Amino acid sequence: LKLSFRPKPWSARRVLATSCADMASSDDNGKEKEQGLVAKLVGFVRKKAATMGASAFVAYLMIDIVVYAFALVAAREAFLRSTGNEPWADIRGFLLVLGGIWAGNNATRPLRLAGAAAGAPLVGRVLER
């Protein structure tokens, strides 16, 4: 999947045609490039988010803050109930909690990018005020 940023106006038809053409592109040997569905989805969402600019970035940060806050509270509660200790009182437990949050955050990145792309127009309107 090739990402090229052009200063032309965005249109759904152009993005869809470009995405389909890029997905079916060939390498030097004439073999079709193989990419997973998730890689194609992440590439498409990143391309769309890049065209949206600051509003998509702010929307992504807002979503990230909510996800991290929820994950930290849920992980702390689970660790406290299972061990009886606070995670930050035990350095190994603290690192375990942070590692779990990091892994979960990486697993949900495509959903957060899609949420940022969907919320960017609303955030853009709020930022313009």
Side-chain angles (χ1 to χ4, degrees), residues 2-11 13-19 21-22 47 50-51:
K2 299 173 192 171
L3 294 179
S4 59
F5 300 103
R6 290 173 239 139
K8 297 178 183 175
W10 180 84
S11 76
R13 221 178 264 162
R14 181 178 301 123
V15 170
L16 185 57
T18 303
S19 298
D22 287 346
K47 184 176 182 179
T51 62

Side-chain angles (χ1 to χ4, degrees), residues 75 95-105:
L95 292 176
L96 180 68
V97 166
L98 288 182
I101 291 172
W102 176 80
N105 202 22

Side-chain angles (χ1 to χ4, degrees), residues 33-81:
K33 291 181 181 179
E34 294 184 25
Q35 290 184 335
L37 179 61
V38 174
K40 291 176 186 176
L41 177 65
V42 168
F44 177 74
V45 171
R46 280 186 182 172
K47 184 176 182 179
K48 186 171 181 181
T51 62
M52 292 181 181
S55 60
F57 181 67
V58 171
Y60 183 80
L61 288 178
M62 290 171 39
I63 291 170
D64 236 12
I65 289 169
V66 171
V67 168
Y68 269 113
F70 176 77
L72 187 60
V73 170
R76 179 208 167 260
E77 188 64 28
F79 190 84
L80 184 63
R81 286 185 185 206

Side-chain angles (χ1 to χ4, degrees), residues 18-35:
T18 303
S19 298
C20 291
D22 287 346
M23 287 178 198
S25 65
S26 299
D27 61 9
D28 294 334
N29 296 333
K31 297 179 183 175
E32 187 174 310
K33 291 181 181 179
E34 294 184 25
Q35 290 184 335

